Amino acid sequence: MQQPLENQSIVFTLSGLNEMMGKRFVFFSLTALYYPLIVLCNATIIYTVISHKKLHEPMYVFICNLCVTGLFGTAGFYPKFMYDLLSQYHVISYAGCLIQIFVIYSSVLCDFSTLTVMAYDRYVAICRPLEYHSVMTNQRVLECMLFCWLPPFSFACVIIVLTSRLTLCGSIIEKIYCENWSVVKLSCFSTTVNNVFGYVLIFTYFGHAILIFCSYIYLVKKCRKSIEGRQKFMQTCVPHLLALLNVTVALLFDALYSRYGSKNLPQDLRNFMAMEFLLIPPIVNPLIYGLNLTRLRKEVMRLLFKKEVGISD
């Protein structure tokens, strides 16, 4: 049995990067182009929604929040990932690892919460259109925003506390970033509490996903009755479903593979699935909503091209 280590002195090695080193300059170049594009697309949507009063409506506020969580989560991954691609040693301190876990986990949970309140908003807009403004008041929107951030941050704090109490007997993490279960598996002693809380978290947030899918099945039935309802569903709900499906599949794979997966899968495939929710949604969300929603698309076009075509605010 390995000797227990002093947690604060541990320096973790991220072994998942080892097989990427042969093409590290290619990966670095692609990432150096891709990450600024993520920042640009999300920042554009955020600025557009904030700066135009006509977009100060619940749906656009929630889309703006989805972009904020995208920037928050990717900031916890891409800078370190790019640094590691150029470094000979892929290491991270104990404190740095916990911070990365907190940022990535809280941002992902915020994504789920935001998609949940967006589903609620669409339900009210389509099924109770005459009551929409009386239901989705500023107070209700504020409550929804608190729901998007407070529970995820609270859960992430609990994750950090439960993980930091463990005495570790190893320092090699078989991922390209710090992932909680990969750290928990290094514990010298029982991890039952961490495991139970992990399953509670998985069932809670995948329960969100099931709730959203069920609500949209109901919306489909309602929308069949009118052309306007079908158009509204296709424009606002289909992008939402695609975003939810993408995040849910990627996270479910990563959560279950971390616990039960075989090491026979190629490391490149494991790396892709581990970072897929940090790769696809942050760029797809602003593009799919920015291009698909007419009012938002027009304002983005005004922002980007007003100098060239002489459009004034």
Side-chain angles (χ1 to χ4, degrees):
M1 181 178 178
Q2 290 182 296
Q3 292 297 317
L5 304 174
E6 183 66 34
N7 284 1
Q8 297 303 322
S9 65
I10 293 176
V11 176
F12 292 107
T13 299
L14 302 172
S15 66
L17 283 159
N18 292 345
E19 294 188 18
M20 302 178 70
M21 288 300 99
K23 298 179 179 178
R24 61 177 178 167
F25 294 113
V26 174
F27 286 119
F28 179 83
S29 300
L30 292 174
T31 307
L33 294 172
Y34 190 69
Y35 181 49
L37 182 61
I38 289 175
V39 174
L40 176 64
C41 291
N42 284 279
T44 299
I45 297 297
I46 293 169
Y47 177 78
T48 302
V49 172
I50 291 175
S51 61
H52 292 85
K53 288 187 177 181
K54 64 175 68 176
L55 297 179
H56 292 182
E57 296 181 3
M59 179 173 66
Y60 300 108
V61 171
F62 298 144
I63 291 172
C64 180
N65 190 64
L66 200 61
C67 292
V68 171
T69 62
L71 290 179
F72 178 59
T74 53
F77 170 71
Y78 282 101
K80 177 69 170 81
F81 177 64
M82 293 172 68
Y83 175 82
D84 284 338
L85 287 173
L86 296 181
S87 175
Q88 183 179 357
Y89 304 102
H90 314 129
V91 297
I92 186 169
S93 67
Y94 182 79
C97 186
L98 294 183
I99 290 172
Q100 189 173 56
I101 289 172
F102 176 84
V103 172
I104 292 177
Y105 272 61
S106 58
S107 71
V108 170
L109 299 183
C110 283
D111 270 352
F112 267 103
S113 297
T114 303
L115 290 170
T116 302
V117 298
M118 288 174 72
Y120 172 71
D121 174 71
R122 292 299 84 204
Y123 166 78
V124 177
I126 294 175
C127 296
R128 301 163 62 186
L130 299 180
E131 304 173 42
Y132 180 77
H133 292 291
S134 62
V135 173
M136 297 304 294
T137 61
N138 290 339
Q139 177 68 26
R140 181 60 57 84
V141 172
L142 177 60
E143 291 171 356
C144 289
M145 293 296 287
L146 291 175
F147 172 78
C148 290
W149 288 95
L150 289 184
F153 268 57
S154 300
F155 281 130
C157 286
V158 174
I159 289 172
I160 297 302
V161 169
L162 291 178
T163 300
S164 62
R165 72 184 178 84
L166 298 175
T167 301
L168 305 182
C169 285
S171 60
I172 298 178
I173 297 175
E174 298 176 350
K175 287 286 187 76
I176 56 178
Y177 59 86
C178 276
E179 184 260 337
N180 187 61
W181 189 249
S182 296
V183 176
V184 171
K185 288 192 295 187
L186 300 174
S187 175
C188 305
F189 308 110
S190 172
T191 60
T192 301
V193 175
N194 298 71
N195 202 24
V196 170
F197 184 76
Y199 280 115
V200 169
L201 206 58
I202 289 171
F203 285 121
T204 298
Y205 278 89
F206 284 106
H208 285 28
I210 293 172
L211 180 65
I212 295 171
F213 283 124
C214 290
S215 70
Y216 276 178
I217 290 173
Y218 178 75
L219 287 181
V220 169
K221 294 178 180 178
K222 294 286 289 186
C223 289
R224 286 188 304 179
K225 299 177 180 178
S226 69
I227 296 176
E228 183 182 356
R230 287 197 297 271
Q231 291 175 339
K232 189 179 292 187
F233 180 85
M234 292 298 295
Q235 187 178 50
T236 62
C237 298
V238 171
H240 184 193
L241 277 174
L242 293 176
L244 177 67
L245 186 63
N246 180 60
V247 174
T248 303
V249 171
L251 289 179
L252 187 59
F253 173 88
D254 193 50
L256 296 180
Y257 187 85
S258 296
R259 287 167 166 75
Y260 309 112
S262 167
K263 293 184 179 181
N264 294 331
L265 281 179
Q267 184 65 50
D268 289 342
L269 177 59
R270 282 185 278 164
N271 286 345
F272 175 76
M273 293 305 297
M275 66 181 292
E276 198 268 347
F277 64 91
L278 293 164
L279 188 69
I280 307 300
I283 193 69
V284 167
N285 287 342
L287 289 178
I288 200 169
Y289 287 114
L291 295 175
N292 194 54
L293 299 177
T294 304
R295 289 175 61 183
L296 184 56
R297 182 176 66 249
K298 286 182 178 179
E299 294 303 333
V300 170
M301 292 299 104
R302 283 166 59 88
L303 174 66
L304 296 177
F305 301 114
K306 62 182 178 181
K307 291 184 180 179
E308 287 80 352
V309 299
I311 299 177
S312 61
D313 291 331

